[in-house]
Amino acid sequence: MIPFNKPYVTGKETEYIQEAVASGKISGDGIFTKKCHTFFETQLGFQKVLLTTSCTDALEMAAILIDIKPGDEVIMPSYTFVSTANAFILRGAKIKFVDSRTDHPGMDEDAIEKLITHKTKAIVLVHYAGVACDMDKVMDIAKQHDLFVIEDAAQAIDSYYKDKALGSFGHLAAFSFHETKNIISGEGGMLVINDERFEQRAEIIREKGTNRSAFFRGEVDKYGWVDMGSSFLPSDIIAAFLYAQLESLKEIQNKRKEIWTNYDQAFRGVLDEKHEVQLPCIPKFATNNAHMYYLVCKDKKERKALLKYLKENGILAVFHYLSLHKSSFYKANCHGEELTYTDFYSDCLVRLPLFYELTSQDQAFIIGKILKFYR
Ligand SMILES: *Cc1c(COP(=O)(O)O)cnc(C)c1O
């Protein structure tokens, strides 16, 4: 069976973990955490970052930082992972879901404005498949209505909008290093802080509501409980793993892009033009970080048949998000809004195997079977 995903390990991870262990300090904010922070700030140009134990945690921190209170409204796509919404639900927010685009599963930027009310506090956008939302458009809307923007950049490492890294546009952004993402640490994440107002409080919230980070820098002479918070910081063992991955960022990305391009060259002009399959769309303002290669079948029946056919041939392809507005948890709170395109992608999208160690023979086999299915 060709798996859908296989976590790639560079070989340096265990060496760095041993180093972290030997240093005698393996709780949070050790040597490797600092190395990761410096990498992101210098290589990707982020103003200030904090590693977290997951993207989910980074999103929860964001919801606390922008002071979400019961009754506040937050606008976000329905076609996303549960954590995008959960982080805000935990603070009592009401979610207003936006439909997906016609040409791409990402949120329809033109459908945001009509959902804004006097209770709206933030737009939480998702760079689906690592492909940028139209940030000029979203930031303009946010500015006009005085809203916070949070980027769920879980899939968007090393991806850019008009040459600027995704994650550096919103007031805050959240990344994931879960084993299914491009750069991994098993579980892991990061909060990016692009607005200085949040820097100090973010450190405090991440350290159980204490000013311990400032204490360790010698800025205060004792530390104590100064705000609400939780334990959002990862152990230095996780950071050691992550740092090994970051050192290989270029190599990992080049390989993923090569695999992505192989799929695209085989399918474009064939599946889209002859078989009504929607292929990934990378707008002019966006780059491709090869997080995902997907096909959007023309209907649910076709997707079911394709997944079954691939499975029978030893290929594990998967569908993706079940739209949140129709989830058993949220349905009761929804107001019957029709999200036509969200439903379409929920019913029809198929993700193909894409991982560093996918061999060219295996990929040729997958491509051959898909073309055969459509023939
Ligand atoms: C993976 C993912 C998350 C969750 O990341 P974790 O690190 O597992 O918490 C959130 N949002 C999106 C869009 C994701 O793809």
Side-chain angles (χ1 to χ4, degrees), residues 234-279:
S235 121
D236 216 46
I237 296 173
I238 288 173
F241 192 113
L242 181 64
Y243 190 64
Q245 295 263 317
L246 290 176
E247 282 188 326
S248 295
L249 175 68
K250 279 222 166 67
E251 185 200 331
I252 292 171
Q253 289 296 83
N254 286 341
K255 183 74 194 182
R256 293 186 72 100
K257 284 177 198 170
E258 188 188 312
I259 296 170
W260 195 99
T261 306
N262 289 342
Y263 278 134
D264 206 56
Q265 283 175 349
F267 299 144
R268 207 164 288 272
V270 183
L271 299 190
D272 50 347
E273 286 175 18
K274 302 202 177 96
H275 301 283
E276 294 175 62
V277 173
Q278 191 188 109
L279 298 174

Side-chain angles (χ1 to χ4, degrees), residues 151-200:
E151 296 175 74
D152 180 339
Q155 307 173 4
I157 187 94
D158 190 36
S159 203
Y160 303 82
Y161 173 82
K162 298 183 179 175
D163 293 333
K164 204 174 150 199
L166 298 186
S168 50
F169 292 89
H171 296 83
L172 299 158
F175 282 88
S176 173
F177 308 117
H178 183 264
E179 71 167 28
T180 52
K181 308 299 200 257
N182 292 26
I183 296 294
I184 62 173
S185 61
E187 301 279 353
M190 176 169 76
L191 179 72
V192 181
I193 302 142
N194 298 314
D195 183 327
E196 278 173 21
R197 282 178 298 171
F198 296 123
E199 285 186 9
Q200 199 188 359

Side-chain angles (χ1 to χ4, degrees), residues 17-296:
I17 287 171
Q18 272 173 353
E19 228 178 276
V21 171
S23 80
K25 188 185 179 298
I26 51 173
S27 59
D29 284 336
I31 310 163
F32 283 100
T33 304
K34 295 205 172 83
K35 278 180 191 277
C36 291
H37 286 174
T38 304
F39 181 95
F40 286 113
E41 287 162 7
T42 57
Q43 304 296 308
L44 290 174
F46 296 138
Q47 192 173 315
K48 161 100 181 159
V49 303
L50 291 170
L51 291 193
T52 57
T53 46
S54 63
C55 177
T56 303
D57 273 357
L59 289 165
E60 284 178 25
M61 285 182 70
I64 297 172
L65 281 166
I66 64 168
D67 205 19
I68 294 289
K69 294 216 164 57
D72 288 345
E73 292 179 2
V74 175
I75 296 172
M76 67 177 64
S78 170
Y79 194 72
T80 183
F81 190 59
V82 290
S83 296
T84 319
N86 249 332
F88 297 86
I89 291 287
L90 278 168
R91 312 235 64 80
K94 182 175 162 200
I95 311 292
K96 290 282 196 82
F97 288 117
V98 187
D99 206 356
S100 293
R101 294 170 57 102
T102 55
D103 58 348
H104 183 273
M107 78 195 271
D108 180 359
E109 297 89 347
D110 294 325
I112 295 173
E113 214 156 7
K114 65 173 186 273
L115 297 177
I116 297 173
T117 71
H118 66 283
K119 288 184 181 164
T120 308
K121 189 122 187 210
I123 301 169
V124 183
L125 56 90
V126 179
H127 301 297
Y128 184 78
V131 177
C133 295
D134 189 342
M135 292 314 298
D136 285 345
K137 208 178 250 180
V138 177
M139 296 313 289
D140 273 354
I141 295 169
K143 208 168 191 178
Q144 265 178 43
H145 298 271
D146 197 20
L147 305 176
F148 289 113
V149 174
I150 315 285
E151 296 175 74
D152 180 339
Q155 307 173 4
I157 187 94
D158 190 36
S159 203
Y160 303 82
Y161 173 82
K162 298 183 179 175
D163 293 333
K164 204 174 150 199
L166 298 186
S168 50
F169 292 89
H171 296 83
L172 299 158
F175 282 88
S176 173
F177 308 117
H178 183 264
E179 71 167 28
T180 52
K181 308 299 200 257
N182 292 26
I183 296 294
I184 62 173
S185 61
E187 301 279 353
M190 176 169 76
L191 179 72
V192 181
I193 302 142
N194 298 314
D195 183 327
E196 278 173 21
R197 282 178 298 171
F198 296 123
E199 285 186 9
Q200 199 188 359
R201 192 160 180 240
E203 283 186 351
I204 291 168
I205 289 167
R206 179 168 165 270
E207 269 280 20
K208 302 105 186 160
T210 72
N211 54 354
R212 184 154 133 178
S213 301
F215 174 73
F216 281 131
R217 282 197 300 266
E219 292 165 15
V220 291
D221 55 12
K222 57 182 186 307
Y223 84 83
W225 188 13
V226 295
D227 201 337
M228 67 162 84
S230 188
S231 186
F232 289 123
L233 75 172
S235 121
D236 216 46
I237 296 173
I238 288 173
F241 192 113
L242 181 64
Y243 190 64
Q245 295 263 317
L246 290 176
E247 282 188 326
S248 295
L249 175 68
K250 279 222 166 67
E251 185 200 331
I252 292 171
Q253 289 296 83
N254 286 341
K255 183 74 194 182
R256 293 186 72 100
K257 284 177 198 170
E258 188 188 312
I259 296 170
W260 195 99
T261 306
N262 289 342
Y263 278 134
D264 206 56
Q265 283 175 349
F267 299 144
R268 207 164 288 272
V270 183
L271 299 190
D272 50 347
E273 286 175 18
K274 302 202 177 96
H275 301 283
E276 294 175 62
V277 173
Q278 191 188 109
L279 298 174
C281 152
I282 317 280
K284 283 225 162 38
F285 55 66
T287 59
N288 174 23
N289 76 342
H291 174 60
M292 191 192 298
Y293 198 90
Y294 62 81
L295 308 174
V296 187

